[in-house]
Amino acid sequence: MRENLHRFFRAARGAGVHVSPAESIDAMRAVKQVGFSDRAILRDALLLTLAKSQDEKLALGDCFDLFFSQPEPRQDQPEASSEEASQDQDQSPSSDTASETGDGQSPTELGPLAQMLLSQDRNAIAAAIASASGAASLSDIRYSTQRGIFSSRILDAMGLQRLRDDLDGLTATNPSLAERLRAALDALRETVRDTVSQGLALYAREEAENLRNEILRNAPLARIERRQVAEMRALIRQIARRLRERYSKPRKRQRRGHLDVRRTLRRNAAWGGVPFLTAWKRKHRDRPRIVALCDVSGSVAQVSDFFLLLIHSLHEVVDDVRSFAFSSHLIEVSEILEKNSPEEAMAEIMSKVGFGSSDYGSSLVDFENEFMSALTPQTTVIVLGDARSNNLDPRADILRRISERSKRLVWLNPEGRLAWGFGDSEMPRYATFCSVVRQCATAQQLERAISDIVATYQ
Amino acid sequence: MADQKASTAIEAVESGLAAQGYIASRQIATAVYLAQQIEKPILVEGPAGVGKTELAKAIAAWRGKKMIRLQCYEGLDEAKALYEWKYAKQLLYTQILKDKLGEVLGGAQTLHAALGQLHDFGDVFFSKEFVEPRPLLQALEQPGGCVLLIDEIDKSDAEFESLLLEILSDFQVTIPELGTVSAITPPTVILTSNSERDLGDALKRRCLHLHIGFPEQRLEERIVESRVPGISQTLRRQMVGFIHEIRSLDLKKLPSVSETIDWARVLVLLQATELDTEIVKDTLNVLLKYEADIEAASPQVTTFIAKAARSNVFG
């Protein structure tokens, strides 16, 4: 039974419910209290102990129903012996199963599996499949390509080899019985295939999801297909959330610094200087100030979605962010990003300044004329763009002034280093004034870049 | 068998809570049972007014234990939730004992010796005497155990959550000057949350997670039956059916169980025996709390009454 619960935990992880060892211990303690006989109560107990949100509850409920619709591995065997038991069956075919069903109508010289199939005892067959899937460790299945190998492993564990021998023997002596057996074998194959598919659905989801996320993480942002965009957004949001968790907590914790002796004494003057109330120095720290300039012109249209999404998540992580979007001219978009959901905000920004041909020079002029005062010596300026300015004047001098006024200037470029400086790319000219220049073409690079930026303020 | 015992025990919880006027679904009863058996707090989430706080009250009443309530809010801290030093009392005692202290220290020849003697008395002022217990510490010190309700934990700051962790996992609290205070009898802890902010994983992991949503029609009828005894069966069915129709609308604030009960009381007061358009329109403000919601629901009232009446015939 414990084995069974462990398999369920794996299945639960597959369904996206995070089951840590500690939680599984709780669940086992709970199950010990309520027992297995009442499925509804068991379901409640597992949902209460394992799931930590309503979404997880729904997923886990489905998982429970799927899991327990499967026949359980045989329970009458002592714990953890299912493997040995099935090996037993292989090595000594005339063991207990044979003596139970044998002797009767079916010829005794047949192997246990053949006898079972011929007797058409569904429960016995289901139990045998379940215990054989245990022996074949079906819960290790990860990819759909493994279906074949697991099917044959299960069939082998059930004694397919012996059955084949029986079939060969019977074709000569008793063709009609052989025919029946062959039909039964086909049915068995089908059932096993179903079991494996179910196993795949239960146990492989997690791996598949991890794999897909991993691929997405490293996929070039510009080459992502339409249907992947939603997943990518979810991934970026996940990254943003992780950043927020990592960087928002310590900021509060480390506020308290040394004892402020002067203020403590003054506060306690009434009690003759006995320090009942203490006063603490506040640690001075730079508040993160970020100014983001995001290129939304046609040449970066594919990635500007993600840039904007990223800036949107920056607004959530850092208090003091001002964002600007530009293609041929530049506008401030902080308010749009703060008031709307990412999708709405992106649509609005794109409709205002998006898709034009980029003119870095005039956008920088716009910035210098209107927003230069936004920069302080604490500001980190992030520029997201490919620095392709359609051979117009790049006005690198303005970028130099921006760089001089701010703490750091970070340029994230979706193009690879090889392309910089070729065609109308002004990257080398701009790069001289940047503190950091990074290629930023995949979600992973994006995450690292942002993580670095936020980390400097910790 | 243990299994048999468990299901009867869960039924016992159900009927015990029912005796206090709290009609629990099986899931709630299972949670209460498990919380006691494996000594874990219950984190109750769900929309406002479905009976999260009531659950704690019902458990306390059923078990005959004291209920200690800690209402969370932004800025709630250690001093208000756990314990505080009685500064004034400490100060007063130092003043009163000044002479005594002089005597004690008078025997010492050198400053060093005086300091040594002072050390022997040093901890006097940071002893139990001078601790003002707040709800959490009170709950731990309750001799017969109690029900500790930590209400609306999502309103508190993240730091406060971490403060709770020690209590929730080991039923103990560490006061730096005194050492660790462990619960004499572990209290039954109920935390409630309206999911205004996401709670930390560490907190969630220490609790059983119970979600109370809007109840099913049958269950809600039973709740009304137990809370508003004077109401006729027809009216009860109709009004609960009507509310279920209302909940299918896209409203700012859906009516929850507490509104159902209020409405039932109002209808009984008005001596209604059946729902009709007029009485519903007159009393809709009991159910819906926003002007916009009332406007949105008003045109549908007649249809909903008809639907509720029809389901009454079949159901």
Side-chain angles (χ1 to χ4, degrees):
Chain A
M1 220 62 239
R2 257 196 23 224
E3 195 57 34
N4 219 357
L5 264 183
H6 278 299
R7 287 197 310 132
F8 178 70
F9 296 153
R10 297 192 61 157
R13 286 187 194 118
V17 180
H18 295 283
V19 181
S20 66
E23 267 149 10
S24 60
I25 291 170
D26 287 339
M28 288 205 274
R29 280 171 66 202
V31 169
K32 210 171 176 186
Q33 294 295 331
V34 298
F36 277 93
S37 57
D38 192 328
R39 277 284 147 79
I41 291 181
L42 179 65
R43 190 173 190 269
D44 283 349
L46 288 173
L47 253 56
L48 281 166
T49 44
L50 295 179
K52 297 295 170 210
S53 69
Q54 188 58 3
D55 290 344
E56 285 193 352
K57 268 194 208 301
L58 291 176
L60 195 68
D62 291 346
C63 182
F64 182 92
D65 296 339
L66 184 61
F67 186 87
F68 283 96
S69 68
Q70 270 195 326
E72 291 163 28
R74 291 222 233 153
Q75 287 169 34
D76 48 350
Q77 289 162 358
E79 233 179 284
S81 67
S82 57
E83 228 160 300
E84 296 157 36
S86 57
Q87 276 166 7
D88 270 2
Q89 277 180 2
D90 278 358
Q91 285 150 5
S92 56
S94 56
S95 65
D96 53 357
T97 344
S99 52
E100 273 170 35
T101 51
D103 304 327
Q105 79 259 64
S106 45
T108 38
E109 68 270 18
L110 289 180
L113 181 59
Q115 292 189 14
M116 202 193 302
L117 286 178
L118 287 175
S119 70
Q120 298 202 311
D121 181 350
R122 282 189 179 191
N123 289 336
I125 294 174
I129 291 180
S131 95
S133 8
S137 34
L138 178 62
S139 51
D140 288 340
I141 191 165
R142 288 294 167 266
Y143 311 106
S144 60
T145 44
Q146 290 174 312
R147 256 185 284 199
I149 192 163
F150 273 96
S151 297
S152 57
R153 263 200 226 167
I154 292 174
L155 285 169
D156 284 345
M158 291 180 77
L160 185 68
Q161 201 49 50
R162 175 69 206 261
L163 184 70
R164 285 225 180 90
D165 295 346
D166 288 342
L167 265 176
D168 288 346
L170 277 179
T171 348
T173 57
N174 190 345
S176 70
L177 191 61
E179 201 50 47
R180 257 180 70 198
L181 196 55
R182 205 159 275 140
L185 178 61
D186 285 343
L188 179 69
R189 276 184 204 281
E190 208 163 296
T191 322
V192 168
R193 207 160 37 228
D194 288 349
T195 312
V196 173
S197 303
Q198 209 169 11
L200 188 71
L202 270 175
Y203 301 114
R205 255 182 291 181
E206 179 185 26
E207 298 296 318
E209 207 155 287
N210 286 347
L211 188 70
R212 210 167 47 232
N213 276 346
E214 200 49 46
I215 292 173
L216 267 183
R217 230 168 241 276
N218 292 307
L221 290 173
R223 236 169 288 142
I224 284 171
E225 292 166 39
R226 271 278 136 232
R227 65 184 169 79
Q228 289 177 314
V229 168
E231 287 178 44
M232 194 71 188
R233 282 192 183 147
L235 191 70
I236 289 199
R237 210 158 299 149
Q238 207 179 328
I239 291 172
R241 202 179 53 226
R242 223 181 15 241
L243 283 173
R244 190 172 55 218
E245 272 163 17
R246 197 181 320 152
Y247 294 121
S248 61
K249 277 175 198 158
R251 202 168 64 215
K252 279 185 176 170
R253 195 183 345 123
Q254 296 166 358
R255 282 291 277 285
R256 202 160 98 163
H258 297 289
L259 183 73
D260 187 335
V261 180
R262 272 197 323 181
R263 267 180 58 223
T264 303
L265 284 177
R266 206 179 319 144
R267 249 182 161 177
N268 293 290
W271 300 303
V274 182
F276 284 116
L277 302 174
T278 49
W280 299 85
K281 276 181 184 152
R282 285 278 168 101
K283 245 189 201 166
H284 175 77
R285 69 171 54 244
D286 281 352
R287 283 178 62 210
R289 279 161 175 270
I290 292 177
V291 167
L293 304 176
C294 182
D295 182 358
V296 289
S297 65
S299 61
V300 291
Q302 287 280 1
V303 286
S304 53
D305 252 16
F306 296 107
F307 284 166
L308 285 175
L309 196 59
L310 187 82
I311 295 179
H312 190 274
S313 45
L314 262 181
H315 275 266
E316 287 176 17
V317 182
V318 181
D319 295 329
D320 196 349
V321 185
R322 290 186 71 177
S323 308
F324 304 87
F326 64 88
S327 49
S328 56
H329 65 284
L330 175 139
I331 59 163
E332 172 157 18
V333 294
S334 313
E335 206 166 301
I336 304 176
L337 286 168
E338 253 156 50
K339 287 205 176 132
N340 299 305
S341 71
E343 283 73 19
E344 289 165 5
M346 273 155 28
E348 193 176 337
I349 293 168
M350 291 314 264
S351 75
K352 280 192 174 152
V353 281
F355 302 118
S357 67
S358 51
D359 182 344
Y360 276 74
S362 73
S363 300
L364 285 172
V365 169
D366 283 349
F367 185 81
E368 184 172 38
N369 288 343
E370 291 176 56
F371 304 112
M372 210 55 174
S373 58
L375 302 179
T376 68
Q378 283 88 43
T379 311
T380 293
V381 180
I382 308 171
V383 186
L384 299 152
D386 59 0
R388 291 196 178 272
S389 193
N390 292 315
N391 297 319
L392 297 164
D393 182 6
R395 296 300 301 267
D397 57 316
I398 301 181
L399 197 74
R400 195 192 74 223
R401 285 197 285 280
I402 290 177
S403 158
E404 281 166 1
R405 281 192 70 128
S406 56
K407 178 175 178 174
R408 291 197 315 158
L409 175 58
V410 180
W411 194 298
L412 303 178
N413 193 325
E415 288 184 345
R417 259 167 213 282
L418 278 179
W420 296 356
F422 287 88
D424 56 352
S425 170
E426 303 287 354
M427 203 57 224
R429 265 212 251 179
Y430 286 139
T432 40
F433 306 116
C434 298
S435 334
V436 184
V437 183
R438 271 174 178 258
Q439 191 203 353
C440 183
T442 69
Q444 198 166 31
Q445 288 171 333
L446 209 62
E447 179 181 4
R448 288 213 188 117
I450 296 299
S451 162
D452 283 356
I453 292 166
V454 185
T456 48
Y457 287 102
Q458 290 307 305
Chain B
M1 238 184 99
D3 301 14
Q4 278 303 316
K5 238 173 47 204
S7 59
T8 46
I10 289 169
E11 275 164 30
V13 173
E14 250 176 89
S15 57
L17 292 177
Q20 305 303 324
Y22 190 92
I23 310 295
S25 67
R26 200 199 53 234
Q27 246 193 45
I28 298 176
T30 311
V32 173
Y33 170 74
L34 278 178
Q36 194 189 13
Q37 291 297 315
I38 62 178
E39 291 190 347
K40 271 187 139 267
I42 307 177
L43 171 64
V44 195
E45 285 191 311
V50 288
K52 299 189 295 287
T53 309
E54 286 300 310
L55 175 63
K57 289 186 191 161
I59 295 173
W62 167 49
R63 298 241 176 89
K65 284 180 181 169
K66 191 177 167 186
M67 189 181 91
I68 294 176
R69 179 171 179 167
L70 175 68
Q71 175 69 47
C72 298
Y73 52 87
E74 220 173 299
L76 177 66
D77 63 358
E78 224 174 353
K80 283 165 195 143
L82 203 50
Y83 69 91
E84 198 169 14
W85 292 104
K86 297 177 183 171
Y87 294 120
K89 196 175 171 186
Q90 283 171 334
L91 193 66
L92 190 67
Y93 275 45
T94 11
Q95 293 299 327
I96 295 172
L97 296 179
K98 225 174 192 170
D99 302 338
K100 194 80 196 156
L101 284 175
E103 272 171 40
V104 171
L105 297 182
Q109 297 302 316
T110 63
L111 192 63
H112 207 75
L115 201 62
Q117 279 178 343
L118 198 58
H119 269 305
D120 296 340
F121 297 93
D123 294 333
V124 168
F125 287 103
F126 286 97
S127 64
K128 262 215 128 156
E129 276 287 290
F130 296 94
V131 172
E132 176 83 65
R134 300 285 185 205
L136 294 181
L137 193 58
Q138 280 171 22
L140 293 183
E141 286 179 332
Q142 214 54 230
C146 66
V147 175
L148 171 62
L149 169 66
I150 302 175
D151 216 5
E152 302 190 329
I153 175 78
D154 54 324
K155 298 255 164 60
S156 69
D157 310 313
E159 287 93 341
F160 181 71
E161 241 179 81
S162 329
L163 183 74
L164 281 179
L165 295 181
E166 190 184 3
I167 296 186
L168 294 183
S169 59
D170 299 326
F171 298 110
Q172 67 175 39
V173 120
T174 306
I175 301 177
E177 296 87 347
L178 290 183
T180 306
V181 180
S182 302
I184 305 160
T185 318
T188 309
V189 186
I190 311 280
L191 300 103
T192 74
S193 156
N194 292 332
S195 312
E196 205 157 275
R197 100 185 141 76
D198 276 341
L199 299 172
D201 286 342
L203 182 85
K204 286 189 164 180
R205 121 110 284 282
R206 281 166 174 78
C207 305
L208 298 174
H209 186 273
L210 176 67
H211 186 273
I212 305 185
F214 296 123
E216 285 169 21
Q217 195 149 344
R218 284 282 151 75
L219 189 64
E220 192 160 10
E221 280 176 34
R222 283 177 52 208
I223 294 170
V224 173
E225 188 183 0
S226 99
R227 281 307 174 90
V228 191
I231 193 165
S232 77
Q233 199 189 349
T234 353
L235 180 59
R236 200 170 67 219
R237 288 211 152 169
Q238 283 184 1
M239 61 162 289
V240 173
F242 181 82
I243 285 175
H244 275 248
E245 293 296 333
I246 288 249
R247 282 188 194 140
S248 66
L249 291 176
D250 181 27
L251 297 180
K252 237 172 166 177
K253 159 103 180 61
L254 294 176
S256 63
V257 184
S258 64
E259 273 94 22
T260 310
I261 293 169
D262 288 346
W263 198 38
R265 289 204 178 115
V266 167
L267 291 178
V268 168
L269 265 180
L270 296 175
Q271 300 182 330
T273 50
E274 272 200 336
L275 286 190
D276 58 62
T277 318
E278 201 172 318
I279 202 162
V280 172
K281 284 202 167 163
D282 286 348
T283 55
L284 211 53
N285 56 347
V286 179
L287 223 46
L288 301 172
K289 307 293 182 187
Y290 288 95
E291 198 53 43
D293 284 359
I294 295 179
E295 268 166 35
S298 292
Q300 311 265 20
V301 165
T302 325
T303 354
F304 283 174
I305 293 177
K307 265 193 194 170
R310 221 177 310 141
S311 71
N312 200 14
V313 176
F314 296 116

